[in-house]
């Protein structure tokens, strides 16, 4: 288990609750990139697979938590995109 890997995951993970809160309250997709979100999820999924296949330790749970937060933000992106499209059509 690498302390530097843990620090990296905690630091990256600290940003996602703020992003999720902004997505939830703003109901807007402005400033969000679905491609970026998918790339980040692919990175976390790669970390999870590496831990399961080659070096299983407790850090895998940090990867899973971060992946889940990015997935939630991605789902909010899809929801907010639908809300914006529906709102634009009714104007």
């Amino acid at each position: 288990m690498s302390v530097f890997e843990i620090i990296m995951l905690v630091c990256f993970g600290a940003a996602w609750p703020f992003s999720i809160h902004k997505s939830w309250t703003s109901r807007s997709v402005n400033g969000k990139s679905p491609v970026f979100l998918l790339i980040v999820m692919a990175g976390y999924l790669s970390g999870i697979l590496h831990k399961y296949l080659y070096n299983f330790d407790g850090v895998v749970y940090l990867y899973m938590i971060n992946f889940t937060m990015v997935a939630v933000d991605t789902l909010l992106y899809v929801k907010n995109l639908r809300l914006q499209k529906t709102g634009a059509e009714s104007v």
Side-chain angles (χ1 to χ4, degrees):
M1 185 177 317
S2 169
V3 90
F4 298 110
E5 183 179 23
I6 292 168
I7 292 169
M8 184 241 352
L9 288 167
V10 168
C11 289
F12 286 171
W16 292 113
F18 295 104
S19 183
I20 291 168
H21 181 263
K22 181 182 176 192
S23 295
W24 182 264
T25 57
S26 72
R27 296 183 180 208
S28 171
V29 296
N30 295 340
K32 295 282 182 176
S33 168
V35 173
F36 174 77
L37 293 170
L38 293 174
I39 290 169
V40 172
M41 285 195 327
Y44 285 138
L45 184 60
S46 294
I48 292 167
L49 290 173
H50 173 76
K51 290 295 178 182
Y52 273 118
L53 296 175
Y54 301 108
N55 188 23
F56 189 83
D57 57 33
V59 177
V60 72
Y61 299 110
L62 291 174
Y63 280 105
M64 293 161 97
I65 290 167
N66 286 355
F67 179 88
T68 302
M69 287 190 288
V70 179
V72 167
D73 206 18
T74 303
L75 291 173
L76 286 171
Y77 177 90
V78 171
K79 175 186 165 269
N80 291 340
L81 186 62
R82 287 183 183 161
L83 285 174
Q84 282 187 320
K85 286 183 178 180
T86 303
E89 292 173 3
S90 63
V91 172

